[in-house]
Amino acid sequence: MPGPVSHTYEYPRPALTVDCVVFGLDDEDLKVLLIRRGVEPFAGRWALPGGFVRMEESLDDAARRELEEEAGIRPNHLEQLYTFGAPGRDPRGRVVTVAYFALVKLSDHVPHASTDAKEAAWFSVWDTPKLAFDHAEVLGTALQRLKGKVRYQPIGFELLPPKFTLTQLQRLYEVVLERELDKRNFRKKILAMDLLEELDEVEQDVSHRAARLYRFDHKKYKQLEKAGFNFEL
Amino acid sequence: MPGPVSHTYEYPRPALTVDCVVFGLDDEDLKVLLIRRGVEPFAGRWALPGGFVRMEESLDDAARRELEEEAGIRPNHLEQLYTFGAPGRDPRGRVVTVAYFALVKLSDHVPHASTDAKEAAWFSVWDTPKLAFDHAEVLGTALQRLKGKVRYQPIGFELLPPKFTLTQLQRLYEVVLERELDKRNFRKKILAMDLLEELDEVEQDVSHRAARLYRFDHKKYKQLEKAGFNFEL
C-alpha cells in the first residue's frame, strides 16, 4: 500500500471540515443527533457528526456524506448554517468548519454509528453532555436559527410525521420556541393560512378521544410563496 | 530576502478566502462596492473585495482587514453571509470562500483602491458589470439576505444617515424590496413601533417643503428586543 502522499503549498492553509446539527422531535422534546468520538482529539467525548471536506466534493455533498457515514442519516431538509473559524477552536491546528443544520422525522431515523464514530444517539437539546470542540456554540447557533426560521418558513413540518394532529403541531412550536402558545390563537392563525389539508382520518391507538389528522400542503405553499405570500406564525 | 516557505500536509487542503458584499444607498439606488482586479485570474474584471484568510486571524477579522486594505472601508454592520465552495469556482484550484455582507452609510465611504485592487467603485446592484468568479451568485445571495432581513430586523437604518426623513426611510424599503409601498400604511406601521425619535429639526437645502427629521432609537430597540419585541415591516 502506498504511504500518504504529501501536499505542498506556498502559503499555509487551514484544514476544512463540515459539522452537522441534526434536529429531530419526539413526543417529549427537541432532540439533537450526537456521535461519540472514537479518535483523538476529544476521544470518548460527544460531538456533532462531521469530518473533512474532500477536494472533489461540494460542501453540501460533504455534509450529506458525513451524515450517511457517521449515522446512516439522509435528511430531507439540509441547509448551511454558519462557518466557524476561530484560530484556537481545534487543538490539531487551524481547522475551519462549515456547519450545517438538518431536520428529520425522528421515527424514520434510528441512528447507527459507523466509520470513526463509536456511538450515535439522540439527546435533548436542552440537556446534552459536554461537547467536543466548539460544538456547544455551533448547537446554540443552530437552535437560534431554528427558532427564527419556524416563524417565517414552514420548515417545522419536516420534524413531524406526514400526518399530524393540531396538538402535535402546536407542541412542536411550543418546544422549539420554548413558550406556551394559546391554543385558540394558534389554531386560528395556522388554519387561516390555508396550508393544512384536513384528512378524513383520526389518530390511531390513543387513550383519549382521537383527534383529526392534517397534512401540510407543500404544493400549495410553493404556489402561494411565488405569489408573494409570507408564512408567519 | 528568503524565498516562500513551503507548507506540507498529509491530505490536500482547499485554499480559504473571504469575500465581502458591501451595500450602500444613495438618493437613486442600492449600490454595491466592487474592485477591479489587478492580478490573475480575472485581471481587469470587477469583483467583490476579498482575499486569503491568514492562519492567525479569525474569519471576521480577515473580512475587516480585506475591506480596509482593498477599499479603505470600515463597516459598522458586518455579518457572515454564506460559504461558497463548489469545486470549480476558482480556476486556480479548490478555493472555498466565506462571504460576508456589510452595510455602510454611503456618504461616509468614498472608496479608494489599494494593495492588489486597481480601482474601487460603487455600482447599482441592478446593473453591475460581469463579475469575476461566482461573485454574481454571491451578490444574489446577499441581496436575498438583505431583502429578508430588513423586514424583521432594523438593519436598514445602517444604510441611512443618522438623521433622515420618513420619505428617505420609505425609499430605502422600496429600493431594497423592489416594490412601491403605500405611504400611509408605511408611516403607520413604522411609527407604531415607537422606535423613531422625532427631532426638532427639518431637512436643509431642499427645494420642496422641508420635512421633519427622525433618528432611530437603538437603545430603545435593544430594550424592546430583550423583552421579546419583534421588529416587523
Side-chain angles (χ1 to χ4, degrees), chain A residues 44-106:
Chain A
R45 189 78 76 79
W46 292 90
L48 299 169
F52 291 93
V53 176
R54 294 181 185 161
M55 292 299 269
E56 71 288 357
E57 71 187 349
S58 71
L59 302 173
D60 289 18
D61 287 349
R64 289 190 188 279
R65 178 181 51 74
E66 287 290 345
L67 277 181
E68 173 89 48
E69 283 180 10
E70 294 211 322
I73 274 183
R74 291 193 200 108
N76 276 327
H77 183 90
L78 178 79
E79 64 176 64
Q80 203 188 93
L81 173 65
Y82 199 81
T83 298
F84 294 81
R89 60 174 295 283
D90 191 311
R92 290 168 292 190
R94 187 79 191 270
V95 181
V96 171
T97 195
V98 183
Y100 278 79
F101 155 87
L103 301 176
V104 299
K105 300 185 198 306
L106 203 58

Side-chain angles (χ1 to χ4, degrees), chain B residues 15-36:
Chain B
L16 189 70
T17 57
V18 286
D19 285 301
C20 304
V21 180
V22 185
F23 289 121
L25 188 79
D26 66 12
D27 294 343
E28 305 288 312
D29 220 345
L30 184 66
K31 299 285 209 275
V32 61
L33 178 73
L34 299 176
I35 57 107
R36 197 198 283 269

Side-chain angles (χ1 to χ4, degrees), chain A residues 4-16 53-60 80-87 94 96 98 100 145 151-152 230-232, chain B residues 4-16 53-60 80-87 94 96 98 100 145 151-152 230-232:
Chain A
V5 181
S6 69
H7 299 268
T8 302
Y9 307 103
E10 190 175 342
Y11 296 98
R13 295 183 173 192
L16 189 70
V53 176
R54 294 181 185 161
M55 292 299 269
E56 71 288 357
E57 71 187 349
S58 71
L59 302 173
D60 289 18
Q80 203 188 93
L81 173 65
Y82 199 81
T83 298
F84 294 81
R94 187 79 191 270
V96 171
V98 183
Y100 278 79
R145 170 79 61 98
R151 296 189 53 225
Y152 304 113
N230 289 308
F231 181 90
E232 203 171 321
Chain B
V5 181
S6 68
H7 299 267
T8 301
Y9 306 104
E10 190 175 342
Y11 296 97
R13 295 183 173 191
L16 189 70
V53 175
R54 294 181 183 159
M55 292 299 269
E56 72 287 357
E57 71 188 349
S58 71
L59 303 173
D60 288 20
Q80 203 189 93
L81 174 66
Y82 199 80
T83 298
F84 294 82
R94 186 81 192 270
V96 171
V98 183
Y100 278 79
R145 170 78 61 98
R151 294 189 54 225
Y152 304 114
N230 289 308
F231 181 90
E232 203 169 322

